[in-house]
Amino acid sequence: MMKKSTFLFTLMVMTAISIQSKVRLPHIISDNMVIQQNTQVRFWGWDQVGKKVTVSVSWSDKKYEAKTNRDGQWSVSIPTPAASYTPLSITFDDGEAVTIHDVLAGEVWVCAGQSNMEMPMKGFGNCPVEGYMDEVINARQYKGIHYVKIPSVMSMKPLNDANCEWKEINSATISEASATGYFFAQVLNKVLDIPIGLVMANKGGTRVESWLTRENLEKYTKEPLDTMAIVNGHEWDYHRQLVWGNGTFNPILNYTVKGIIYYQGCSNVGDPGNQYSERLALLVKQWRDQFGLGEIPFYFVEIAPYHYDNIKGEDGARLREQQYIASTKIPNSGLVCTNDLAYPYETTQIHPAQKKPVGQRLAYLALNQTYNMQEVWCKSPSFKDMKIDGSDIHIHLNDDYGAINRFEGITGFEVAGADKVFYPAESVHFWRPGGGYWDETIKISCPEVKNPVAVRYGFRNFLLGNLKNAAGLPLFPFRTDNW
C-alpha cells in the first residue's frame, strides 16, 4: 500500500504537470475582450515545448492549429467577423480546453500617453471630470463599449504579459475608464453602431522618452541606459526613460488594434529645439513597427493651457508648437486643439475638467480620416498667411470650413514691432467690396505697436483665445516670428 506521504507527493507532481501542460493565455486575451473586426487577428500564448494548440471559434467551423516553439510560445492568426453585438467564444485546446466567452467583434483603439489620458472618469484627487455623475447615470445607454486597463509597471526588460482584465462599461465600471478614451468611444459607438474596445496603456507624468525602446534611445538620444542611471537620474520615477514602455506598453504589442489615441507632452515642456517633434515621430514609427499592422492611425492631443509657474511664459506654447510640427511630419495622424478647453480659473490645474470635448474631437478625426465620413468636420483652423498694411496685420486661416465663429470681440492675439515686445491686440473680421484675396481677412492691430512685424495667437503658457471655425473647433496657437 502506497504511503500517504508518497501518495501526496505523486499527486502534487501530477497536478504540477497538469498545470504546466495546460495552455496559458496572456491576460489581455480573456472574457469580454473586443477583437478587431474584419481582419486577421493574432492570438498567442504559452504551453509545453512542442505542444500543439487547436483554436476553435464560434463564428466559423474551421479549426486553427499552432505549435509551441523552443521557448514554449505559440501564435496563430485568425480571420474575424464583421462587428456585431452578438457574443462570441474562442476555445484553445492542447488536450485540456480553455474557452473565453462574451467576446465582441468591433473596433479596437489604444489609449496612450500620460495623466490626461490616464485620468479616469471619476477624476483624480482635486481634479474632477466635468459631467461625471451624468455619465454614470447614462452609462447603460451605450452598449458594447469595453475597456482593459494595463497596470502601470516599470521594467528594465520588455514584458510579454500584464495582469489585466476586460470590463464592459456600465454604471459600476465607468469610474475607472480613461475619461478621454471613454468619450472618444461614445462617439464612435453612437455613430458607427458597433462595439468599441479600448486598450488603456498609459502612465501619468511620463515623458516621450519613457516609451522609447532601448534601441531607439541608444541611436537617437543621449539618455543614459545603465540601470542605476535610469533609477537615479530623475526625481520622479514616472520621468524615467525606457521602463514604462517595457512594462506597460510592450504587453499589448501582439494585440490587433485599429489605431492609437495619445495625450502626452507636459513632462517634455522645456525640451530644446525640435527635439520633441522628432522624438514623438520616432515613437509613432516605433509603435507602428512593433504592432506590425501598417501605418495605423495616430491621433493626439495638444497639451492644455497651464501656468508652468509663469502664465505669460512660453515653454508650454513652444511644446504645443512642436506638437503641431509633429502632426505635419507624422503620416496618417491628426492633432486636437485644446486652447479653449481650460477654464480661466484653471491656470494651475494640470488636469482640466473638460475631457468630453477632447474625446469627441479625437473621434471626429477618426470618423473623418479613418472611417471616411467626410461630412464630419474634424480639423481646427491654423495660420495660413499674413500681410502687413501700415499699422494693421491681416491674416488668413486654413481649414475654417467657410466661416469663423465671431466677427468682433476676438481675443488671444498679440503683436510686436522690431523691439520683439508683444502687446495684446484688437482683432476683427475685415471685409471690403472687391472680391480680392486680401479683401476678406482677420485684421489685427494694437495702439502700442505702430509698425508691427509679427503676430502671435495663444502663444503663452496660459492664454485663452475664442476664435473658432464653422465646426466650432478652436484656432491652433501660432506665431509668425522665430524669436
Side-chain angles (χ1 to χ4, degrees), residues 28 54 72 95 120 122 196 199 229 262 277 311 374 427 436 443 459:
I28 198 171
T54 301
K122 67 180 182 182
I196 304 296
V199 179
Y262 184 79
S277 63
I311 289 177
Q374 300 305 307
S427 312
K443 186 179 76 170
F459 207 81

Side-chain angles (χ1 to χ4, degrees), residues 47 96 150 152 187 441:
D47 210 323
E96 187 174 355
I150 310 302
S152 300
V187 176
T441 63

Side-chain angles (χ1 to χ4, degrees), residues 90-101:
I90 309 170
T91 298
F92 304 87
D93 193 351
D94 68 346
E96 187 174 355
V98 175
T99 301
I100 59 174
H101 302 277

Side-chain angles (χ1 to χ4, degrees), residues 225-364:
L225 293 171
D226 173 77
T227 299
M228 293 312 298
I230 292 175
V231 171
N232 297 326
H234 301 282
E235 180 180 1
W236 308 105
D237 62 5
Y238 46 73
H239 282 165
R240 292 174 183 168
Q241 58 274 24
L242 176 68
V243 296
W244 296 104
N246 278 349
T248 306
F249 210 86
N250 207 76
I252 74 170
L253 291 174
N254 277 331
Y255 207 78
T256 304
V257 304
K258 185 67 172 185
I260 301 169
I261 57 173
Y262 184 79
Y263 195 162
Q264 186 275 334
C266 298
S267 292
N268 285 97
V269 167
D271 284 2
N274 292 322
Q275 179 173 295
Y276 182 80
S277 63
E278 292 169 355
R279 292 184 180 181
L280 181 59
L282 175 64
L283 177 62
V284 175
K285 182 180 185 305
Q286 170 190 299
W287 279 346
R288 286 171 171 168
D289 290 345
Q290 289 176 312
F291 275 113
L293 299 169
E295 208 168 76
I296 58 176
F298 180 82
Y299 302 130
F300 62 118
V301 183
E302 176 188 79
I303 59 171
Y306 178 69
H307 74 139
Y308 294 106
D309 296 325
N310 180 3
I311 289 177
K312 294 184 177 181
E314 299 176 4
D315 285 348
R318 290 175 185 271
L319 194 283
R320 294 182 199 103
E321 182 178 58
Q322 285 297 296
Q323 290 179 309
Y324 183 81
I325 291 171
S327 74
T328 67
K329 291 181 177 180
I330 300 170
N332 199 16
S333 72
L335 179 64
V336 164
C337 180
T338 60
N339 177 259
D340 62 331
L341 296 183
Y343 290 115
Y345 53 80
E346 289 186 310
T347 56
T348 61
Q349 177 56 277
I350 195 67
H351 305 120
Q354 299 178 76
K355 289 293 182 285
K356 191 166 189 172
V358 178
Q360 290 174 329
R361 291 173 188 179
L362 286 165
Y364 301 157

